[in-house]
Amino acid sequence: MGPLGISGEIGEAAVTALRLLWSADPELLAIVALSLEVSLAATALAAMLGLPLGALLALARFPGRGALVLLVNAGMGLPPVVVGLLVYLLLSRSGPLGDHGLLFTPTAMVIAQTILVTPIVAALARQAVTDLLEDYREHLASLGLRPLAAVPVLLVDARYRLATACLAGFGRAAAEVGAILIVGGNIRGHTRTMTTAIALETSKGALEQALALGFVLILVVLAVNLAAAGLQRMARRIEG
Amino acid sequence: MQLPRRVFLALALGAPVSASRAADRSILLATTTSAENSGLLGYLLPRFEKASGIRVKVVAVGTGQALKLGERGDADLLLLHHPPSEEAFVAAGFGIDRREIMANDFLLVGPAEDPAGARGRDVLAAFRAIAASGAPFVSRGDASGTHERERELWRAAGIDPGSAARGWYREAGSGMGATLNIAAAMGAYTLADRGTWASFANRRGLVVLVEGDPRLSNVYAVTLVNPARHPHVKVAEARALADWLGGPEGQAAIGSFEVGGTRPFRPIATARAVPGSDGGR
């Protein structure tokens, strides 16, 4: 980079980011679309697995529950590179699932990210439902409801906090690079996402381009969160 | 603009997407970061794809990882630049039909002030000068072809940088571009391939100090992953790419690739003997 100083460099990158977006470069749009597809698909799958798991951990009492809660909480810190490596070994042609030819496809990236995001959604969902349960315990008791029978009520009441859990999971997925680089391969036009493209531009020494792509990624994540907030507001209005 | 529709689809389905979107006549080429970062493949492959209708998916990693991908059957064709490990790969039955297709050279780059006085020496003398001065040297440290060559040069110079107690020898554990970024930031010496250097944009104070030494030659070859070991390998398509790269069209394209005002790759494929002709050898 030139003798601009860091603020100058960031300013230039921001201008480049806007120019990239304005030009609607088809390759950039495809990269943004793939990033969104993979991260949203992984978040949706993680929600399907993690929300019921979190509710179960909050409400059910069974042996080993404490250990499972600990495991899920620790799972929020799963190292992406390790998850990527494990999924690689699973999907590799010489691995147990190799016959499906899934390595270096978007599907492989969704699988890896689902593993990373599920513990986040489950742990935050468990906490949300536990908190609500505290508030409602007497109420439920007076109605004669057992906690498990109250699951639907609690999930509906906790919906905004659960939505936040999903957004946290989406944030992890959208920002992640270590796992999808290994199982996706950063193949141009096929498995290249925002984060792997940023890593590639950095390694080429094209720091301004890398930073510009970073701004685009931040804008995309911001847009997803804005959309979620808008949906929440709409839902609240309808509710009354 | 198809963006919103695809996003909506992903939202609505929440399912693994686009696994089978690409046309199926495609191969996976595992190659080194040096071939990819220079922009060479981005220049060559569209020409091949147009001529053949075969789509080439490129995974750019270090030589060590690329060999592992081939060994496990995760790639169809390898494009690498470390002949000893490629020959061992073929000898072990993992690969077939290794063919040298192009060459360039390695460069010793470092700060323009050149505190070790390496400029213009032969490469072994330059390495000894760096070690003696204790000026920082950044190694790839990633079992890549470039890293292997660097280790061979240290051995030939009679120096074991791993035992360097003063910490002038730093292993980056990264690709060529990332290593150049580190060297540029530290004002350190490093060994780079000409292709990556020519296209590298963040040089800061780094300049070329040693080049042209025969010990710095850098040969790239393609090797097919052995279909006898991995039956799913797309051997016909992979061979089509190998033949195109080694043939007149590919060789001409390699020679005409230009970046940063230079032509960093030299075509070196020898014409393959055709039955019935007396083509060479």
Side-chain angles (χ1 to χ4, degrees):
Chain A
M1 290 198 186
L4 287 165
I6 180 143
S7 56
E9 286 170 344
I10 291 174
E12 281 209 337
V15 171
T16 308
L18 290 177
R19 200 181 311 128
L20 278 173
L21 279 174
W22 182 251
S23 70
D25 170 45
E27 185 167 359
L28 176 73
L29 292 182
I31 288 174
V32 172
L34 182 69
S35 292
L36 278 171
E37 281 179 36
V38 168
S39 300
L40 289 173
T43 308
L45 285 173
M48 282 187 242
L49 298 168
L51 293 179
L53 177 62
L56 185 78
L57 288 175
L59 297 168
R61 292 290 174 269
F62 53 88
R65 177 183 159 276
L68 198 55
V69 169
L70 190 71
L71 215 65
V72 167
N73 283 344
M76 290 196 284
L78 272 178
V81 178
V82 177
V83 170
L85 201 52
L86 289 172
V87 174
Y88 165 73
L89 291 172
L90 270 178
L91 300 184
S92 162
R93 287 289 183 177
S94 303
L97 303 178
D99 291 343
H100 301 286
L102 288 175
L103 189 67
F104 302 134
T105 65
T107 307
M109 298 153 75
V110 172
I111 292 170
Q113 292 206 329
T114 302
I115 295 171
L116 286 169
V117 173
T118 300
I120 296 175
V121 174
L124 295 178
R126 185 198 67 80
Q127 194 58 50
V129 174
T130 303
D131 291 350
L132 266 187
L133 198 59
E134 288 302 315
D135 298 347
Y136 286 7
R137 192 175 295 280
E138 284 179 22
H139 189 56
L140 292 173
S142 73
L143 290 171
L145 273 176
R146 288 168 38 78
L148 273 180
V151 167
V153 184
L154 286 171
L155 282 182
V156 170
D157 263 26
R159 63 192 175 280
Y160 296 122
R161 276 186 259 187
L162 297 179
T164 305
C166 292
L167 283 176
F170 171 75
R172 161 83 147 185
E176 190 277 322
V177 59
I180 56 174
L181 195 56
I182 295 176
V183 303
N186 189 26
I187 298 168
R188 184 176 177 187
H190 185 55
T191 58
R192 183 161 299 169
T193 66
M194 299 294 299
T195 53
T196 60
I198 291 167
L200 177 67
E201 292 303 327
T202 306
S203 77
K204 287 200 265 187
L207 304 190
E208 188 189 312
Q209 180 78 4
L211 200 54
L213 287 171
F215 282 133
V216 174
L217 175 60
I218 291 168
L219 284 176
V220 167
V221 172
L222 201 65
V224 169
N225 278 273
L226 251 174
L231 281 177
Q232 280 199 10
R233 179 173 295 190
M234 225 156 69
R236 286 209 162 111
R237 196 169 300 156
I238 291 166
E239 284 157 14
Chain B
M1 196 164 103
Q2 59 171 354
L3 177 68
R5 195 167 47 82
R6 288 170 74 178
V7 173
F8 180 74
L9 217 65
L11 266 174
L13 300 176
V17 279
S18 57
S20 55
R21 190 186 290 150
D24 252 37
R25 268 205 105 199
S26 68
I27 56 168
L28 200 121
L29 171 69
T31 187
T32 63
T33 51
S34 60
E36 169 77 344
N37 282 6
S38 63
L40 174 70
L41 293 178
Y43 178 79
L44 293 180
L45 294 179
R47 288 166 166 72
F48 168 73
E49 289 174 347
K50 206 167 174 187
S52 67
I54 298 168
R55 172 149 152 59
V56 184
K57 299 175 185 167
V58 179
V59 174
V61 290
T63 298
Q65 196 183 344
L67 288 167
K68 189 54 90 174
L69 288 175
E71 196 181 307
R72 299 178 59 94
D74 294 323
D76 300 301
L77 188 69
L78 309 180
L79 171 59
L80 304 176
H81 65 134
H82 191 246
S85 20
E86 293 157 35
E87 278 153 15
F89 183 80
V90 172
F94 294 123
I96 55 170
D97 295 358
R98 177 176 179 276
R99 185 175 185 189
E100 301 189 340
I101 57 160
M102 61 188 185
N104 65 6
D105 56 348
F106 292 107
L107 309 164
L108 178 67
V109 302
E113 313 84 76
D114 189 19
R119 181 180 273 115
R121 298 182 184 234
D122 74 68
V123 67
L124 296 186
F127 268 43
R128 288 190 197 104
I130 292 168
S133 76
F137 183 99
V138 182
S139 164
R140 288 280 294 275
D142 63 348
S144 60
T146 307
H147 183 216
E148 296 294 345
R149 175 61 63 91
E150 178 219 305
R151 287 202 286 208
E152 287 157 18
L153 290 172
W154 285 119
R155 264 199 300 279
I159 292 162
D160 177 11
S163 70
R166 282 180 297 166
W168 56 271
Y169 185 78
R170 318 272 171 90
E171 293 195 31
S174 306
M176 190 71 256
T179 302
L180 281 169
N181 278 333
I182 295 169
M186 287 175 56
Y189 295 88
T190 192
L191 189 71
D193 66 280
R194 188 178 290 276
T196 306
W197 173 256
S199 63
F200 187 70
N202 184 38
R203 292 180 187 176
R204 295 177 188 251
L206 293 184
V207 295
V208 175
L209 295 170
V210 176
E211 60 184 319
D213 187 317
R215 286 177 185 274
L216 293 175
S217 85
N218 182 21
V219 172
Y220 288 79
V222 285
T223 305
L224 294 172
V225 174
N226 189 353
R229 196 174 274 264
H230 294 291
H232 62 268
V233 163
K234 294 173 184 153
V235 67
E237 288 86 352
R239 200 185 293 281
L241 175 55
D243 286 346
W244 186 85
L245 286 170
E249 265 183 87
Q251 291 286 293
I254 289 167
S256 67
F257 171 64
E258 216 171 290
V259 63
T262 61
R263 296 186 172 178
F265 294 95
R266 196 157 40 82
I268 58 162
T270 47
R272 183 153 282 184
V274 180
S277 80
D278 64 346
R281 296 191 277 188

Coordinates of all heavy atoms in Angstrom, one line a residue, chain A residues 122-164:
Chain A
A122 N -27.6 -24.1 20.1 CA -28.1 -24.9 21.2 C -27.8 -24.3 22.5 O -28.6 -24.2 23.4 CB -27.5 -26.3 21.1
A123 N -26.5 -23.8 22.7 CA -26.2 -23.3 24.0 C -27.0 -22.0 24.3 O -27.5 -21.8 25.4 CB -24.7 -23.0 24.0
L124 N -27.1 -21.1 23.3 CA -27.9 -19.9 23.6 C -29.3 -20.2 23.7 O -30.0 -19.5 24.6 CB -27.6 -18.9 22.4 CG -26.2 -18.4 22.3 CD1 -26.0 -17.5 21.1 CD2 -25.7 -17.7 23.6
A125 N -29.9 -21.2 23.0 CA -31.3 -21.5 23.2 C -31.5 -22.1 24.6 O -32.5 -21.8 25.2 CB -31.7 -22.5 22.1
R126 N -30.6 -23.0 25.0 CA -30.7 -23.5 26.3 C -30.8 -22.4 27.4 O -31.7 -22.4 28.3 CB -29.6 -24.5 26.7 CG -29.7 -25.2 28.0 CD -28.4 -25.8 28.5 NE -27.5 -24.7 28.9 CZ -27.5 -24.1 30.0 NH1 -28.4 -24.4 30.9 NH2 -26.6 -23.1 30.3
Q127 N -29.9 -21.4 27.3 CA -29.9 -20.4 28.3 C -31.2 -19.6 28.2 O -31.8 -19.2 29.2 CB -28.7 -19.4 28.0 CG -28.4 -18.5 29.2 CD -28.2 -19.3 30.5 OE1 -27.4 -20.2 30.5 NE2 -28.9 -18.9 31.5
A128 N -31.7 -19.3 27.0 CA -32.9 -18.5 26.8 C -34.1 -19.2 27.5 O -34.9 -18.6 28.2 CB -33.2 -18.2 25.4
V129 N -34.2 -20.5 27.2 CA -35.3 -21.3 27.7 C -35.2 -21.4 29.3 O -36.2 -21.3 30.0 CB -35.5 -22.6 27.0 CG1 -36.5 -23.5 27.7 CG2 -35.7 -22.4 25.5
T130 N -34.0 -21.6 29.7 CA -33.8 -21.7 31.2 C -34.2 -20.5 31.9 O -34.9 -20.5 32.9 CB -32.3 -22.0 31.5 OG1 -31.9 -23.2 30.8 CG2 -32.1 -22.2 33.0
D131 N -33.9 -19.3 31.3 CA -34.3 -18.0 32.0 C -35.8 -17.9 32.0 O -36.3 -17.5 33.0 CB -33.7 -16.9 31.1 CG -32.2 -16.8 31.3 OD1 -31.6 -17.5 32.1 OD2 -31.5 -16.0 30.5
L132 N -36.4 -18.2 30.9 CA -37.9 -18.1 30.9 C -38.5 -19.0 31.9 O -39.5 -18.7 32.5 CB -38.4 -18.4 29.4 CG -38.6 -17.3 28.5 CD1 -39.2 -17.8 27.2 CD2 -39.5 -16.2 29.1
L133 N -38.0 -20.2 32.0 CA -38.5 -21.2 32.8 C -38.5 -20.7 34.3 O -39.5 -20.9 35.0 CB -37.7 -22.5 32.7 CG -38.4 -23.8 33.2 CD1 -39.6 -24.0 32.5 CD2 -37.4 -25.0 33.1
E134 N -37.4 -20.0 34.7 CA -37.4 -19.4 36.0 C -38.5 -18.4 36.2 O -39.2 -18.5 37.2 CB -36.0 -18.6 36.2 CG -34.8 -19.5 36.3 CD -34.9 -20.5 37.5 OE1 -35.3 -20.0 38.6 OE2 -34.7 -21.7 37.3
D135 N -38.7 -17.6 35.2 CA -39.8 -16.6 35.3 C -41.2 -17.2 35.4 O -42.1 -16.7 36.1 CB -39.8 -15.7 34.1 CG -38.5 -14.9 34.0 OD1 -37.7 -14.9 35.0 OD2 -38.2 -14.3 32.9
Y136 N -41.4 -18.3 34.7 CA -42.7 -18.9 34.6 C -43.0 -20.0 35.5 O -44.1 -20.6 35.5 CB -42.9 -19.4 33.1 CG -43.1 -18.3 32.1 CD1 -42.9 -16.9 32.5 CD2 -43.5 -18.6 30.8 CE1 -43.1 -15.9 31.5 CE2 -43.6 -17.6 29.9 CZ -43.4 -16.2 30.2 OH -43.6 -15.3 29.3
R137 N -42.0 -20.4 36.3 CA -42.2 -21.6 37.1 C -43.5 -21.7 37.9 O -44.2 -22.6 37.8 CB -40.9 -21.9 38.0 CG -40.9 -23.3 38.6 CD -39.6 -23.5 39.4 NE -38.4 -23.4 38.6 CZ -38.0 -24.4 37.8 NH1 -38.6 -25.5 37.8 NH2 -36.8 -24.3 37.1
E138 N -43.7 -20.6 38.6 CA -44.9 -20.6 39.5 C -46.2 -20.6 38.7 O -47.1 -21.3 39.0 CB -44.9 -19.4 40.4 CG -43.9 -19.5 41.5 CD -43.9 -18.2 42.4 OE1 -44.9 -17.5 42.3 OE2 -42.9 -18.0 43.0
H139 N -46.1 -19.9 37.6 CA -47.3 -19.8 36.7 C -47.6 -21.2 36.1 O -48.8 -21.6 36.1 CB -47.0 -18.8 35.6 CG -48.1 -18.5 34.7 ND1 -49.3 -18.0 35.2 CD2 -48.3 -18.6 33.4 CE1 -50.1 -17.8 34.2 NE2 -49.6 -18.2 33.1
L140 N -46.6 -21.9 35.7 CA -46.8 -23.2 35.1 C -47.3 -24.2 36.2 O -48.2 -25.0 35.9 CB -45.4 -23.7 34.5 CG -44.9 -23.0 33.3 CD1 -43.5 -23.5 32.9 CD2 -45.9 -23.2 32.1
A141 N -46.7 -24.0 37.4 CA -47.1 -24.9 38.5 C -48.6 -24.7 38.8 O -49.4 -25.7 39.0 CB -46.3 -24.7 39.7
S142 N -49.0 -23.4 38.8 CA -50.4 -23.1 39.1 C -51.4 -23.7 38.1 O -52.5 -24.1 38.3 CB -50.7 -21.6 39.3 OG -50.6 -21.0 38.0
L143 N -50.9 -23.8 36.8 CA -51.7 -24.4 35.7 C -51.6 -25.9 35.8 O -52.3 -26.6 35.0 CB -51.2 -23.9 34.4 CG -51.5 -22.4 34.1 CD1 -50.8 -22.0 32.8 CD2 -53.0 -22.1 34.0
G144 N -50.7 -26.4 36.6 CA -50.5 -27.8 36.6 C -49.8 -28.4 35.4 O -49.9 -29.6 35.1
L145 N -49.0 -27.6 34.7 CA -48.3 -28.0 33.6 C -46.9 -28.5 34.0 O -46.2 -27.9 34.7 CB -48.1 -26.9 32.6 CG -49.2 -26.6 31.6 CD1 -48.9 -25.4 30.7 CD2 -49.4 -27.8 30.6
R146 N -46.5 -29.7 33.5 CA -45.1 -30.2 33.7 C -44.2 -29.4 32.6 O -44.7 -29.1 31.6 CB -45.0 -31.7 33.4 CG -45.7 -32.5 34.5 CD -45.8 -33.9 34.1 NE -44.7 -34.5 33.3 CZ -43.5 -34.8 33.9 NH1 -43.3 -34.7 35.2 NH2 -42.6 -35.3 33.1
P147 N -43.0 -29.2 33.0 CA -42.1 -28.4 32.1 C -42.1 -28.9 30.7 O -42.2 -28.1 29.8 CB -40.7 -28.6 32.8 CG -41.0 -28.8 34.2 CD -42.3 -29.6 34.3
L148 N -42.0 -30.2 30.5 CA -41.9 -30.7 29.1 C -43.2 -30.4 28.3 O -43.1 -30.1 27.1 CB -41.7 -32.2 29.1 CG -40.2 -32.6 29.2 CD1 -40.0 -34.1 29.1 CD2 -39.4 -32.0 28.0
A149 N -44.3 -30.4 29.0 CA -45.6 -30.0 28.3 C -45.6 -28.6 27.9 O -46.3 -28.1 27.0 CB -46.7 -30.4 29.2
A150 N -44.7 -27.8 28.6 CA -44.7 -26.4 28.3 C -43.8 -26.0 27.2 O -43.6 -24.8 26.9 CB -44.3 -25.6 29.6
V151 N -43.1 -27.0 26.6 CA -42.1 -26.6 25.6 C -42.7 -25.7 24.5 O -42.0 -24.7 24.2 CB -41.5 -27.9 24.9 CG1 -40.7 -27.6 23.7 CG2 -40.6 -28.6 25.9
P152 N -43.8 -26.0 23.9 CA -44.3 -25.1 22.8 C -44.5 -23.7 23.3 O -44.1 -22.7 22.6 CB -45.6 -25.8 22.4 CG -45.6 -27.2 22.9 CD -44.7 -27.2 24.1
V153 N -45.1 -23.6 24.5 CA -45.4 -22.2 25.0 C -44.0 -21.5 25.2 O -43.9 -20.3 24.8 CB -46.1 -22.3 26.4 CG1 -46.4 -20.9 26.9 CG2 -47.3 -23.2 26.2
L154 N -43.1 -22.2 25.8 CA -41.8 -21.5 26.1 C -41.1 -21.1 24.8 O -40.5 -20.1 24.7 CB -40.9 -22.5 26.9 CG -41.4 -22.6 28.4 CD1 -40.6 -23.8 29.1 CD2 -41.2 -21.3 29.1
L155 N -41.1 -22.0 23.8 CA -40.4 -21.7 22.6 C -41.0 -20.5 21.9 O -40.3 -19.6 21.4 CB -40.4 -22.9 21.6 CG -39.4 -24.0 22.0 CD1 -39.5 -25.2 21.0 CD2 -38.0 -23.5 22.1
V156 N -42.3 -20.4 21.9 CA -43.0 -19.3 21.3 C -42.6 -18.0 22.1 O -42.3 -17.0 21.5 CB -44.5 -19.5 21.3 CG1 -45.2 -18.2 20.9 CG2 -44.9 -20.6 20.3
D157 N -42.6 -18.1 23.4 CA -42.3 -16.9 24.2 C -40.9 -16.5 24.1 O -40.5 -15.3 24.3 CB -42.7 -17.2 25.7 CG -44.0 -16.6 26.0 OD1 -44.8 -16.6 25.1 OD2 -44.3 -16.3 27.2
A158 N -40.0 -17.5 23.9 CA -38.6 -17.1 23.8 C -38.1 -16.8 22.4 O -36.9 -16.7 22.1 CB -37.7 -18.3 24.3
R159 N -39.1 -16.6 21.4 CA -38.7 -16.6 20.0 C -37.7 -15.5 19.7 O -36.9 -15.7 18.8 CB -40.0 -16.5 19.2 CG -40.8 -15.2 19.3 CD -42.1 -15.4 18.7 NE -43.0 -14.3 18.9 CZ -43.7 -14.1 20.0 NH1 -43.7 -15.0 21.0 NH2 -44.5 -13.0 20.1
Y160 N -37.8 -14.4 20.3 CA -36.9 -13.3 19.9 C -35.5 -13.6 20.4 O -34.5 -13.4 19.7 CB -37.3 -11.9 20.5 CG -38.7 -11.5 19.9 CD1 -39.8 -11.3 20.7 CD2 -38.8 -11.4 18.5 CE1 -41.0 -10.9 20.1 CE2 -40.0 -11.1 17.9 CZ -41.1 -10.8 18.8 OH -42.3 -10.5 18.2
R161 N -35.4 -14.2 21.6 CA -34.0 -14.6 22.0 C -33.5 -15.7 21.2 O -32.3 -15.8 20.9 CB -34.1 -15.0 23.5 CG -34.0 -13.8 24.4 CD -33.9 -14.2 25.8 NE -35.2 -14.0 26.5 CZ -35.4 -14.1 27.8 NH1 -34.4 -14.5 28.6 NH2 -36.5 -14.0 28.3
L162 N -34.4 -16.6 20.7 CA -33.9 -17.7 19.9 C -33.5 -17.2 18.5 O -32.5 -17.7 17.9 CB -35.0 -18.7 19.7 CG -35.5 -19.4 21.0 CD1 -36.6 -20.4 20.8 CD2 -34.3 -20.1 21.7
A163 N -34.2 -16.1 18.1 CA -33.8 -15.5 16.8 C -32.4 -14.9 16.9 O -31.5 -15.0 16.0 CB -34.8 -14.4 16.4
T164 N -32.1 -14.3 18.1 CA -30.8 -13.8 18.4 C -29.7 -14.9 18.4 O -28.6 -14.8 17.8 CB -30.7 -13.0 19.7 OG1 -31.8 -12.0 19.7 CG2 -29.4 -12.4 19.9

